[in-house]
Amino acid sequence: MTKHKNHKNPKKNIKILTKPPKTPYRRKTPIWVPTCEFYGGTQDCLLVGFDTEFEREGKHNNLLSYQFHVKHPNGSEWKGIGYLRSREDRITLNEFFEWVFSEGFKQHKITRYPQRIYLIGHFTIADLPGFSNFKDFQHQVNAVRKCLVTTSKGYKVELMDSADQSFEIKAIFRDSMLLAPTGKQRLADIGTLVGVDKLSMSEDEISNMSSVLENDPEKFERYAMRDAEICVKYSETILKVMEEISGERLLPSTVGSIGVSHLQRVWVKNNRDRLAILGKEIVKEGQWQKRKQQYWMSNKEVNLPMRHLKELFATECYHGGRNEQYFFGIGKEGVWTDYDLCGAYTTAMSLIELPLWDELYSTVDLKKLTNLKSMGFAYVDFEFPDETRFPCLPIRSNGGLIFPLKGSSNCSTPELFLAQQMGAKLKVRDGFILPTDSSVRPFAEFIKECTHNRKSHPKGSIFELFWKEIGNSTYGKTAQGLREKRCFDTKTADVKLLPESEISNPFFSAYVTSFVRAALGEILHLLPKETLVSNATTDGFLSTAGDDQLEHITSGELCQMFGNTRKSITGDFEVLEAKHKIRQPLGWRTRGQATLLPLRGEKMILAKAGMKPKTQHKLKQNTWIEDMFFQRTPEKTYKFDVFTSLRDIWLKEYELTSFTVKKRLSMEYDWKRMPCNPAMRSYNEHSHLYFDTKPWVDMIEYNKCRESWAEYNSERHVCLKTIEDYDSFNAYQTLDIKGTGLKKSRKDPVIKTAWKMFVRSYARSEWGLDKTQYSYPEMAEWLSKAGYPTKRTDFENGSRKTMKLIENIVPKSDETLKFLKIIKERFPQFYEEKFFVVD
């Protein structure tokens, strides 16, 4: 057992991998767990970074190499790379570990087998299927955002020791992507954080790695080995972070799980009762065990009665962020600043006081529900004054949150308070208040500690970013599972609903999101009318408001409350921070903004609204989007690469490869607000439609517009690029023939309706016309020559009683005005006031 120099290496250093030999003879003895005496014990946990290089090829990848980098707790490191000649050369995960350990023995880095390891990759769904026995262990792993991880129990891997005896180690799978701060998920970013730069290659080289291997094997090896090294170095840093946070050197599966665990540690440290905070209790639950013929009693967490009764109501009051685009097209040139609320969600979460669940009570008293010291929830009818620019009460729709002038909303105290301040008429249909103990703010204690620890580290350091991420990610866990979200379950190979987290609570998440939307809504409301606003995105907005306006627009009660809470956390009163400045924006829909003219020394603004440029370079992405917008046509498509779905990888045994799909370009407005004030604007050589927006009166108007656009666009696939395009659609949606008995023509319904009304008015000698003036054949010939195909029988049919002649039904548009001009040239006496829709 101790003669490790004779340890069997099934791959012989696998500089070149050949077809793996048959599985070595394994004694028919029970699998045993390594003991501390021979195998290093529980503390001997290796960090094994791994990676593969491959070329994407159909349903399966052309695997070129395996590589690893190992860090031992004693500080020693070793690494290895092995190349494949063919698909048959692929090795099992078991053989991979035997190779890793044999290299450690050979290089005298270890003298004992480990009992457990962390196997760390980056975007592991791309690499783990590269092992030939992936299907044997794929049901042992969990998929989180296409990254494969295991629980802390890990995956038991059967290996052979030097005496051909079977034993098991525990492999815990981790993915560095899930442990990276927001905006730093790329491996290159992670490498920069730990001082190990990812080696660069061109996009063409990455797509043709076999050529790199053939022409420059040293470059290939340096590139391949560096990725595994970054995974280890980053994981080592995370272990240090975890030791600072919890005192334990454990590698968690996600950043979110770290935040939840630390939150609960803070509660224990401050003698807070987790169940009392969340509104839960423990009950005994019995289950009959048939084999033992007895009940097995276990503890189960359930909601307190009052939380249970109002949970659905609170869930209906939970909405996402405010996301709207306020103009379409080329923005006006000026100084546009992108402002964000400072620590929006963590600050709002800090406002939550200790709930008194047993004292929850129902009320329709508006005064109580709009008291900012209350945690109230209500279903209200509302109506804002007509001149309101940015109403603040949300209504959910298939297109996202809509903020109309009137309607009915499920909302919380902050938005109700703001609506009242803005002069809205409010009628509470139903509501309740959850009383709280103002002396205890359970989340504030946690956020304050995260902020203190964050500030104790240099800005931009991994420790500083990690403490920031821990605080930010915890809010999301309070909302997990509240809205139906389906995900693929790797254990059952089926789709399931995303479960709730340990701290999911609709009362908290509804209040927090309401406060953030209300604070942003208050700022928008206080903006001077001459201030232009491009868009609102969750907790920020882009506008021409200058720094001299900040004091005024943050002077409302909600922002003052927000700023004072920030001061209690950070020591500084702060509400807004400037993120970016540009000279001129381009806007087309929610989360669709680009920079037409930048400001020197400032970062550009780019939100792609789901579009997928092939390049990763931000300036090139911005240029590509700008070109696509101005040069788009109804038939315009673009190509982009998509990855194999998790379902196909699991059920069809595909690997993570990519394939190119073609998609019709859609950069039209999303109609979350009503267009107004259309005009043409120029940028460089481009001239393009521009329009402002205002809030919809109600959801009926919004839904009608969305339905009209879907019908209109399905017939012709149009682009709104000119005033004529705008007027044409506006006329289409203005055409209201419901209840009239008229049929809406599938093609050109507006002009067809105008034509029908003229033909019928002539056939009946109505609207100033006399049918004896010209014969039906003469009229048909005249209209046909003018471009409106007509038959004699059309006039004959037009005189029938079943063919209704309806006044004021034709919308005004370029098409209908042109048609009217032709009519008036021959029939000056025609009553156009009966023809058009009354404005």
Side-chain angles (χ1 to χ4, degrees):
M1 293 292 295
T2 58
K3 296 179 180 180
H4 296 296
K5 63 181 180 180
N6 296 323
H7 174 75
K8 290 193 174 183
N9 179 0
K11 293 292 155 297
K12 296 181 180 179
N13 195 28
I14 52 177
K15 190 62 178 176
I16 297 294
L17 289 176
T18 59
K19 186 176 180 179
K22 293 181 180 180
T23 304
Y25 169 75
R26 298 178 187 273
R27 294 179 180 177
K28 293 182 179 180
T29 55
I31 297 174
W32 57 284
V33 178
T35 64
C36 293
E37 181 182 356
F38 296 106
Y39 289 82
T42 56
Q43 297 303 313
D44 198 7
C45 184
L46 298 182
L47 295 178
V48 181
F50 85 104
D51 186 38
T52 62
E53 292 301 331
F54 54 83
E55 287 181 333
R56 296 193 170 101
E57 194 175 84
K59 299 174 183 177
H60 298 93
N61 294 320
N62 175 25
L63 195 63
L64 303 174
S65 68
Y66 300 96
Q67 47 271 355
F68 68 83
H69 189 104
V70 184
K71 181 68 178 287
H72 193 282
N74 65 17
S76 62
E77 297 182 54
W78 70 96
K79 58 187 177 182
I81 185 170
Y83 302 91
L84 291 80
R85 288 195 181 101
S86 67
R87 181 172 176 80
E88 286 69 33
D89 283 344
R90 293 191 179 197
I91 60 175
T92 66
L93 182 64
N94 311 58
E95 290 169 332
F96 174 80
F97 287 135
E98 289 174 353
W99 169 38
V100 170
F101 301 147
S102 66
E103 283 294 305
F105 285 121
K106 180 180 178 181
Q107 298 178 33
H108 305 289
K109 302 295 185 179
I110 54 174
T111 58
R112 295 183 294 181
Y113 290 99
Q115 186 170 355
R116 66 191 181 104
I117 69 167
Y118 282 116
L119 181 67
I120 312 116
H122 190 81
F123 199 45
T124 44
I125 190 65
D127 301 305
L128 280 176
F131 292 111
S132 60
N133 67 330
F134 176 65
K135 65 180 179 181
D136 295 334
F137 66 85
Q138 66 183 49
H139 297 297
Q140 302 291 322
V141 298
N142 301 310
V144 181
R145 301 193 295 276
K146 277 202 172 182
C147 299
L148 302 181
V149 296
T150 61
T151 64
S152 57
K153 293 180 180 179
Y155 166 59
K156 291 181 180 179
V157 183
E158 181 186 348
L159 304 177
M160 295 290 290
D161 66 12
S162 57
D164 286 342
Q165 185 167 351
S166 300
F167 71 98
E168 286 182 345
I169 65 166
K170 182 169 73 171
I172 304 171
F173 297 180
R174 291 292 181 260
D175 197 307
S176 55
M177 184 179 287
L178 299 178
L179 294 169
T182 300
K184 301 288 184 181
Q185 281 90 0
R186 296 189 310 132
L187 194 60
D189 297 327
I190 291 174
T192 301
L193 289 174
V194 294
V196 182
D197 291 334
K198 178 177 170 60
L199 301 180
S200 62
M201 278 194 183
S202 68
E203 292 181 9
D204 184 61
E205 286 177 314
I206 292 173
S207 300
N208 300 277
M209 290 298 288
S210 59
S211 297
V212 178
L213 176 59
E214 182 179 351
N215 299 321
D216 194 345
E218 291 185 1
K219 181 177 183 179
F220 178 95
E221 186 164 319
R222 288 195 307 271
Y223 178 86
M225 295 295 292
R226 180 57 59 88
D227 289 1
E229 180 185 0
I230 290 173
C231 288
V232 167
K233 298 297 184 185
Y234 186 71
S235 298
E236 189 177 22
T237 305
I238 298 302
L239 286 173
K240 294 177 182 177
V241 173
M242 288 303 298
E243 194 168 22
E244 178 182 291
I245 294 172
S246 65
E248 298 179 300
R249 286 178 62 83
L250 298 175
L251 203 57
S253 57
T254 64
V255 177
S257 64
I258 301 172
V260 172
S261 297
H262 187 57
L263 170 65
Q264 295 182 79
R265 278 192 292 270
V266 171
W267 284 347
V268 170
K269 183 176 69 175
N270 292 322
N271 296 316
R272 305 299 180 208
D273 185 340
R274 170 182 165 273
L275 295 176
I277 294 170
L278 297 175
K280 291 178 174 287
E281 63 181 342
I282 293 177
V283 297
K284 293 285 186 180
E285 187 177 67
Q287 187 174 5
W288 178 253
Q289 289 188 317
K290 188 175 181 180
R291 185 172 61 86
K292 293 184 177 181
Q293 291 294 298
Q294 65 179 23
Y295 273 100
W296 174 263
M297 302 301 294
S298 61
N299 292 332
K300 181 181 180 181
E301 285 187 9
V302 298
N303 292 335
L304 289 171
M306 294 307 292
R307 170 176 167 168
H308 176 74
L309 286 172
K310 294 296 185 181
E311 180 147 305
L312 181 59
F313 196 136
T315 302
E316 287 300 308
C317 294
Y318 163 64
H319 313 289
R322 180 168 190 156
N323 296 288
E324 296 173 306
Q325 175 63 32
Y326 296 122
F327 68 75
F328 176 76
I330 301 167
K332 189 176 180 180
E333 190 173 347
V335 177
W336 293 78
T337 306
D338 184 22
Y339 291 104
D340 277 1
L341 289 167
C342 301
Y345 286 94
T346 52
T347 302
M349 195 161 61
S350 299
L351 288 165
I352 294 175
E353 300 169 344
L354 180 66
L356 303 175
W357 295 98
D358 288 339
E359 298 179 23
L360 185 153
Y361 64 94
S362 298
T363 182
V364 292
D365 188 335
L366 185 60
K367 187 175 181 181
K368 291 180 178 179
L369 288 166
T370 55
N371 185 344
L372 284 180
K373 294 181 180 180
S374 299
M375 184 181 286
F377 306 86
Y379 178 60
V380 300
D381 294 336
F382 65 87
E383 183 172 355
F384 286 88
D386 292 343
E387 67 276 8
T388 305
R389 287 178 73 190
F390 305 105
C392 69
L393 291 180
I395 300 179
R396 283 204 301 272
S397 76
N398 291 334
L401 288 185
I402 307 300
F403 295 83
L405 288 171
K406 63 181 180 180
S408 300
S409 174
N410 290 94
C411 52
S412 300
T413 291
E415 284 166 307
L416 273 177
F417 168 82
L418 177 60
Q420 191 176 59
Q421 296 294 106
M422 293 171 65
K425 298 176 182 177
L426 301 170
K427 179 182 179 182
V428 182
R429 294 282 197 90
D430 196 5
F432 69 90
I433 287 176
L434 176 58
T436 57
D437 180 353
S438 61
S439 67
V440 179
R441 290 186 174 182
F443 291 101
E445 300 164 339
F446 162 74
I447 297 300
K448 194 170 184 177
E449 182 171 316
C450 289
T451 304
H452 172 77
N453 290 330
R454 176 186 170 190
K455 287 193 169 185
S456 66
H457 295 288
K459 188 172 180 61
S461 68
I462 179 63
F463 284 85
E464 190 263 345
L465 290 172
F466 218 81
W467 277 111
K468 177 183 178 181
E469 191 67 22
I470 287 172
N472 290 341
S473 65
T474 305
Y475 153 71
K477 289 294 182 179
T478 67
Q480 181 175 310
L482 300 185
R483 290 269 177 265
E484 185 174 297
K485 183 177 181 181
R486 297 183 179 275
C487 57
F488 185 78
D489 183 9
T490 57
K491 297 294 181 65
T492 62
D494 200 1
V495 175
K496 70 172 185 179
L497 294 177
L498 182 69
E500 293 186 357
S501 75
E502 293 178 82
I503 60 170
S504 292
N505 188 298
F507 301 83
F508 297 163
S509 52
Y511 180 83
V512 168
T513 52
S514 176
F515 192 91
V516 172
R517 288 191 304 271
L520 180 60
E522 185 179 68
I523 291 169
L524 293 173
H525 178 63
L526 291 175
L527 284 170
K529 288 186 177 180
E530 64 272 14
T531 302
L532 305 178
V533 187
S534 167
N535 59 278
T537 306
T538 307
D539 59 353
F541 64 102
L542 176 64
S543 77
T544 57
D547 293 344
D548 58 328
Q549 294 178 315
L550 294 187
E551 184 176 350
H552 170 67
I553 64 178
T554 60
S555 61
E557 289 187 56
L558 288 162
C559 284
Q560 291 298 300
M561 190 174 173
F562 184 95
N564 286 325
T565 305
R566 288 295 297 170
K567 186 174 182 179
S568 69
I569 296 170
T570 67
D572 298 316
F573 181 95
E574 51 188 5
V575 179
L576 292 174
E577 58 180 334
K579 291 288 188 179
H580 310 88
K581 288 180 184 289
I582 61 172
R583 284 176 56 199
Q584 190 174 28
L586 170 69
W588 65 95
R589 66 188 312 158
T590 299
R591 294 184 180 273
Q593 296 86 37
T595 300
L596 293 177
L597 295 175
L599 274 174
R600 180 173 294 182
E602 295 284 349
K603 294 181 180 179
M604 68 172 56
I605 288 172
L606 179 61
K608 300 185 284 290
M611 296 179 66
K612 301 179 186 297
K614 285 201 170 184
T615 178
Q616 296 298 314
H617 193 279
K618 191 171 182 179
L619 179 58
K620 291 180 179 179
Q621 288 183 342
N622 189 83
T623 302
W624 179 81
I625 282 180
E626 180 184 316
D627 291 341
M628 295 294 276
F629 181 80
F630 288 118
Q631 297 173 16
R632 74 191 191 280
T633 64
E635 296 77 28
K636 183 74 171 178
T637 61
Y638 72 101
K639 296 180 180 179
F640 60 94
D641 294 335
V642 296
F643 286 123
T644 314
S645 71
L646 189 63
R647 176 187 287 273
D648 284 344
I649 291 172
W650 243 250
L651 301 181
K652 298 181 181 179
E653 298 185 17
Y654 292 177
E655 292 175 18
L656 187 74
T657 184
S658 64
F659 53 94
T660 302
V661 298
K662 184 163 47 172
K663 183 178 180 181
R664 185 182 296 276
L665 180 68
S666 176
M667 298 183 76
E668 307 309 314
Y669 188 59
D670 54 21
W671 314 108
K672 293 178 78 170
R673 286 168 60 92
M674 180 190 292
C676 61
N677 306 324
M680 294 298 293
R681 283 191 178 176
S682 298
Y683 167 74
N684 289 343
E685 73 278 11
H686 305 294
S687 180
H688 196 280
L689 171 68
Y690 168 91
F691 57 73
D692 294 316
T693 66
K694 59 183 180 180
W696 291 106
V697 172
D698 54 30
M699 293 300 291
I700 295 174
E701 275 195 349
Y702 165 73
N703 288 324
K704 180 183 175 183
C705 178
R706 289 266 295 190
E707 290 169 8
S708 295
W709 175 252
E711 292 175 2
Y712 185 75
N713 200 34
S714 67
E715 290 297 324
R716 60 202 77 192
H717 296 296
V718 298
C719 293
L720 299 180
K721 300 182 73 173
T722 65
I723 291 285
E724 290 73 21
D725 297 330
Y726 176 91
D727 287 342
S728 179
F729 171 60
N730 194 48
Y732 180 90
Q733 66 168 332
T734 305
L735 179 61
D736 186 5
I737 60 176
K738 289 182 179 179
T740 63
L742 295 177
K743 291 183 179 180
K744 200 170 188 177
S745 303
R746 293 183 62 84
K747 185 178 180 181
D748 301 324
V750 174
I751 196 63
K752 282 289 182 68
T753 301
W755 173 85
K756 286 178 184 178
M757 294 303 104
F758 172 72
V759 168
R760 293 176 188 182
S761 62
Y762 185 83
R764 301 179 188 193
S765 296
E766 297 280 357
W767 298 0
L769 300 175
D770 181 358
K771 68 179 182 179
T772 63
Q773 190 172 354
Y774 297 99
S775 68
Y776 288 169
E778 288 176 323
M779 290 292 291
E781 182 182 3
W782 167 64
L783 284 175
S784 296
K785 285 183 178 180
Y788 306 95
T790 310
K791 299 177 182 178
R792 174 182 56 81
T793 53
D794 292 326
F795 286 94
E796 292 173 349
N797 292 332
S799 62
R800 294 179 182 177
K801 292 183 179 180
T802 55
M803 299 295 181
K804 294 185 178 180
L805 178 61
I806 304 170
E807 296 182 2
N808 307 124
I809 196 173
V810 178
K812 282 185 180 179
S813 69
D814 288 341
E815 288 180 313
T816 55
L817 287 172
K818 177 184 175 183
F819 183 56
L820 176 66
K821 183 179 179 182
I822 293 172
I823 294 172
K824 296 283 278 187
E825 285 175 354
R826 177 165 282 205
F827 302 101
Q829 73 278 16
F830 179 67
Y831 296 167
E832 63 180 273
E833 64 272 14
K834 292 182 179 280
F835 192 58
F836 285 126
V837 172
V838 178
D839 294 331

